[in-house]
Amino acid sequence: MVATAYLLGVSTRRVEKPAESLGVTQLSKSQVSAMARHLDEQVTAFRNRPLDTGPYAFVWADALTQKVREGGRIINVHALIAVGVNADGHREILGLDVATAEDGAGWLAFLRSLIARGLTGVQLVISDAHPGLVDAIGATLPGASWQRCRTHYARNLLSQVPKSAQPWVATLLRTVFEQPDTDAVQAQMTHVLDALEAKFPKAAAHLDAAQHDLLAFTAFPREIWRQIWSKNRRSV
């Protein structure tokens, strides 16, 4: 119960009521603080642990905006998160850091910390197209390819066409990812670009510029495409 309250950012005072429901009639502020410190130690140990179950062939990078209390004020911070596939084929949370801004400096420091802890063998990084993140990936993981998140890119592309045309464009783009092999994917991309060029040249140019990063997944086995073409699990 205390761990859940800790994760939700519940104040010491508000912990007392749920504690009473569990039969704990006396829970002082110092007791709650001591338990929170114990949890802090576990979180710190997890965040600083060696990354020794690699190589980590695939890494997903993302940032979540969270509200925190700092100096008596509520402010937004960015939780930088990396998830990787380890040598056993299982997903593993590699790291978590908090930055005041989602900029290149924050991502660069975060990725360097993962490498210092043992991140190796990265073949593909999946993320959105945040410029600071993409630059940091290139600077710290020069041997890795970059997969532009399919889900985020689709939203970018739809912003290039009238709202009335968005369902058609979304369906058209989806057909690229429904192909059985790399050659078919490339051929369908050409077909989609031609179709867009005829009606929405601006959108066609947008997709043409992004296609190589959007199709990076095709360099890997077909059976894992659905897992690596997006950082959004709902899109697989």
Side-chain angles (χ1 to χ4, degrees):
M1 182 274 295
V2 174
T4 300
Y6 172 89
L7 292 172
L8 295 176
V10 176
S11 66
T12 300
R13 177 177 59 82
R14 293 176 62 190
V15 169
E16 294 174 352
K17 288 186 178 180
E20 290 177 2
S21 69
L22 297 176
V24 180
T25 56
Q26 291 184 338
L27 190 64
S28 68
K29 292 182 179 180
S30 61
Q31 287 174 310
V32 174
S33 296
M35 286 184 280
R37 283 196 300 272
H38 178 63
L39 290 167
D40 276 334
E41 292 171 359
Q42 294 183 57
V43 170
T44 299
F46 175 77
R47 291 178 59 193
N48 295 331
R49 77 192 189 284
L51 298 178
D52 53 8
T53 59
Y56 301 91
F58 305 106
V59 173
W60 292 260
D62 199 3
L64 302 176
T65 302
Q66 301 289 326
K67 293 184 180 296
V68 301
R69 184 182 299 276
E70 186 175 285
R73 298 183 301 118
I74 301 297
I75 64 171
N76 286 332
V77 297
H78 300 272
L80 310 182
I81 303 170
V83 176
V85 174
N86 59 30
D88 294 328
H90 297 124
R91 289 200 180 205
E92 176 183 337
I93 297 176
L94 304 178
L96 168 66
D97 203 358
V98 177
T100 55
E102 188 189 356
D103 56 14
W107 278 115
L108 189 64
F110 178 56
L111 293 178
R112 283 175 173 170
S113 72
L114 297 181
I115 293 170
R117 288 170 45 215
L119 178 65
T120 59
V122 180
Q123 298 181 37
L124 183 71
V125 181
I126 305 97
S127 77
D128 60 29
H130 186 285
L133 172 54
V134 175
D135 289 345
I137 292 169
T140 57
L141 300 167
S145 300
W146 174 56
Q147 168 66 44
R148 185 168 183 172
C149 175
R150 162 190 170 176
T151 305
H152 280 70
Y153 178 74
R155 297 169 190 161
N156 298 151
L157 181 63
L158 295 184
S159 70
Q160 305 296 310
V161 300
K163 189 171 183 179
S164 60
Q166 290 181 1
W168 176 73
V169 173
T171 300
L172 196 63
L173 180 64
R174 196 177 303 120
T175 63
V176 173
F177 299 90
E178 295 172 347
Q179 304 308 310
D181 55 51
T182 298
D183 289 342
V185 168
Q186 298 290 348
Q188 184 64 15
M189 176 61 79
T190 299
H191 171 73
V192 169
L193 286 169
D194 290 342
L196 282 177
E197 182 66 35
K199 292 187 175 183
F200 305 108
K202 182 181 177 181
H206 193 282
L207 179 57
D208 189 32
Q211 66 167 309
H212 297 296
D213 297 324
L214 194 60
L215 303 184
F217 68 89
T218 60
F220 298 91
R222 176 67 178 83
E223 57 268 22
I224 64 170
W225 283 4
R226 294 175 65 85
Q227 283 71 48
I228 64 174
W229 62 32
S230 174
K231 68 186 182 69
N232 187 339
R233 292 292 295 164
R234 290 174 295 179
S235 71
V236 301

